[in-house]
Amino acid sequence: MAKTDLDRGRHKLNQRSDPRQSFDSGSFAGAGLACVRGDRLLFRGLGFVVKPGDALVLTGPNGSGKSSLLRLMAGLLAPAAGHLTWAGRPVEANREAQRGRVRWLGHLDAVKPTLTVRETLALHGRLHGAGADPAAALDDALGALGIGALADTPGRQLSAGQRRRVALARLLVAPAPLWLLDEPTVGLDDAGFAAFGAVAAAHRAAGGAIVAATHSDLGLGDARRLTLADFAPSAAELEAAA
Amino acid sequence: MSAFVAVLARDLRLGLRHGADLAMVVIFFVLAALLFPFGVGPEANLLARIAAGVVWVTALLAAMLSLDRLFHADYEDGSLDQLALSPAPLAVIVLAKATAHWLTTGLPLIAVAPALGLMLRLDPAGFAPLLLAMLVGTPCLSLFGAIGAALTLGARRGGALVALVVLPLVLPVLIFGVGAVEAEVTGLGAQPHLLVLGALLAAALPLAPLAAALALRQALESA
């Protein structure tokens, strides 16, 4: 059952990567970014560029600021220094437009125990603008992640891996050019991992970009790496700040 | 507008599926009001004099009980991040959540208030102004409550803290809510008090969601 769902999903995704449906997106860049959590400086002088079709993988030890950098890119966190730009324009200029370009997958799945998978995804589609045919987009997303059979299952009956698949399906319900993913494959089995690889590849083929924080190999192929340890403040700097 | 409807429908659905939480608020309201005849004695005159105050104070406390789940569950499971990243202004989402809160707590409280009024020997002339005042006043509780719930998000023991933040804010609602009933019973007319409550609601409707949205952004920064 899950297998056929997956195959059907792949087929749909191939249709979606039709270049006519590709994103008309600019490149997303940051320069001189610094982040302070509590009274600790996590990184400074961090810069990056993500072009359409790119994948950028954030690596670094626990507590090096991977999740914080993702929150910063999403606009959930304001940088202590530096700025973010989209197609050369600062993102603060139009926050609402920026939120429309970003899809977020945090380390929490945001799946309610009493809402069914379909209800969870439908709400997301309505909030983010699910295009012309929301019901079809929803079915495509369920198929792509191999959870079509779970559409009417309430969140409390899902396993951790299934909840992760629902969270990933959210990325497809309302398409947007930039995906920000925090440990996207955590809890996924092999089929789930393969499904993630397929949707990520289709997203990039359509001109979308991905930034993912991870400790494991995501199978993103030619992804570029950004090592946060390179931007950690030196002991001397921390002492000077204190 | 569609974001408002979507969030309102979601929160109503969640509220109804967690029916026990909803029932708890109403049961607390009834039980707390029931304590007063036992505490001060069953003398009809005394009860009639304090009836409006008792109904209002216990409604206030019952509403406080339900406030900590206004944003907290969404904050804990990551839903709030998703809501905050939707293109709709966060204030609109807050307004939808406060509306859902009022429909699932304020409205049931209003529905059982007449029964409590009867039990507490409220003057027959006092029922209409009590219900009218609650109809205008309880939305204020949900709106001011949203500010408190947003401000205390992420704090330990947030529930108790919400009450500490919100109760001073809603004192005017209590004063004019009780005042409306007393004025009507003593023959002065409830209208001025109801108008003040209406003014409070008119001010809170646009301002409270903005303030709560700011507080939510702050809470998400430190998440």
Side-chain angles (χ1 to χ4, degrees):
Chain A
M1 186 66 197
K3 181 113 192 145
T4 51
D5 274 343
L6 205 62
D7 292 341
R8 188 152 42 88
R10 286 223 182 91
H11 175 63
K12 290 272 172 60
L13 280 171
N14 289 338
Q15 291 177 338
R16 188 176 297 148
S17 54
D18 178 343
R20 279 169 301 174
Q21 294 185 4
S22 67
F23 297 111
D24 173 27
S25 58
S27 63
F28 180 50
L33 294 170
C35 177
V36 179
R37 299 313 301 267
D39 50 4
R40 205 162 70 89
L41 178 63
L42 292 177
F43 53 77
R44 82 280 178 270
L46 189 150
F48 67 88
V49 180
V50 189
K51 295 197 179 71
D54 266 1
L56 180 65
V57 171
L58 311 178
T59 57
N62 295 134
S64 59
K66 297 187 295 295
S67 297
S68 294
L69 178 56
L70 279 177
R71 291 185 79 80
L72 209 145
M73 288 177 176
L76 288 169
L77 184 63
H83 58 272
L84 294 161
T85 57
W86 184 277
R89 263 176 241 116
V91 298
E92 302 91 69
N94 192 344
R95 283 256 169 234
E96 273 167 36
Q98 179 65 12
R99 291 205 292 271
R101 299 182 194 115
V102 172
R103 290 295 170 268
W104 170 258
L105 175 79
H107 66 281
L108 296 165
D109 296 321
V111 174
K112 292 280 175 199
T114 49
L115 293 185
T116 67
V117 170
R118 190 181 295 279
E119 287 167 344
T120 303
L121 295 177
L123 169 87
H124 191 76
R126 283 175 73 186
L127 272 178
H128 287 83
D133 190 352
L138 207 157
D139 286 333
D140 285 0
L142 288 171
L145 272 306
I147 47 176
L150 299 172
D152 298 312
T153 309
R156 86 177 90 79
Q157 291 172 18
L158 299 177
S159 73
Q162 288 170 333
R163 279 203 302 274
R164 202 60 180 161
R165 290 190 190 207
V166 175
L168 283 165
R170 205 179 261 136
L171 299 168
L172 304 178
V173 169
L178 178 63
W179 289 2
L180 301 175
L181 316 175
D182 197 350
E183 292 286 359
T185 57
V186 86
L188 292 182
D189 57 12
D190 290 345
F193 191 84
F196 168 71
V199 298
H203 177 64
R204 291 174 65 190
I210 296 175
V211 180
T214 188
H215 289 289
S216 50
D217 180 25
L218 295 177
L220 285 175
D222 54 337
R224 286 182 296 120
R225 283 177 174 276
L226 184 74
T227 308
L228 268 93
D230 296 348
F231 303 97
S234 65
E237 281 176 87
L238 286 178
E239 212 155 286
Chain B
M1 193 61 207
S2 74
F4 178 86
V5 175
V7 175
L8 178 64
R10 163 194 183 265
D11 271 32
L12 284 179
R13 190 176 284 163
L14 281 173
L16 294 177
R17 290 195 189 160
H18 293 124
D21 291 3
L22 221 163
M24 194 186 71
V25 172
V26 176
I27 292 170
F28 175 88
F29 180 46
V30 173
L31 278 182
L34 260 176
L35 291 179
F36 280 85
F38 293 106
V40 301
E43 194 200 328
N45 285 339
L46 181 61
L47 283 179
R49 240 177 58 76
I50 62 169
V54 169
V55 171
W56 262 107
V57 169
T58 47
L60 217 68
L61 296 177
M64 291 304 113
L65 261 190
S66 60
L67 276 177
D68 66 320
R69 67 163 200 268
L70 188 55
F71 300 118
H72 194 256
D74 287 339
Y75 178 73
E76 294 266 277
D77 71 9
S79 303
L80 198 57
D81 284 341
Q82 295 290 355
L83 290 175
L85 286 173
S86 83
L90 193 50
V92 170
I93 291 168
V94 170
L95 185 61
K97 289 183 79 69
T99 308
H101 178 264
W102 179 71
L103 288 172
T104 53
T105 58
L107 218 48
L109 293 185
I110 295 173
V112 295
L116 293 182
L118 271 180
M119 190 183 74
L120 295 167
R121 311 286 176 105
L122 179 65
D123 190 294
F127 280 90
L130 175 68
L131 292 184
L132 274 176
M134 284 185 81
L135 210 54
V136 187
T138 48
C140 294
L141 299 187
S142 294
L143 287 163
F144 287 125
I147 302 178
L151 278 173
T152 55
L153 212 53
R156 288 189 324 115
R157 308 214 30 88
L161 211 52
V162 174
L164 292 186
V165 173
V166 175
L167 284 175
L169 282 177
V170 297
L171 267 184
V173 178
L174 176 67
I175 291 169
F176 291 102
V178 176
V181 179
E182 306 224 304
E184 186 70 27
V185 169
T186 53
L188 290 171
Q191 200 192 13
H193 294 88
L194 292 175
L195 287 177
V196 174
L197 280 178
L200 276 173
L201 179 59
L205 216 44
L207 295 180
L210 288 173
L214 277 177
L216 282 184
R217 291 247 177 250
Q218 205 63 42
L220 289 174
E221 286 250 323
S222 54

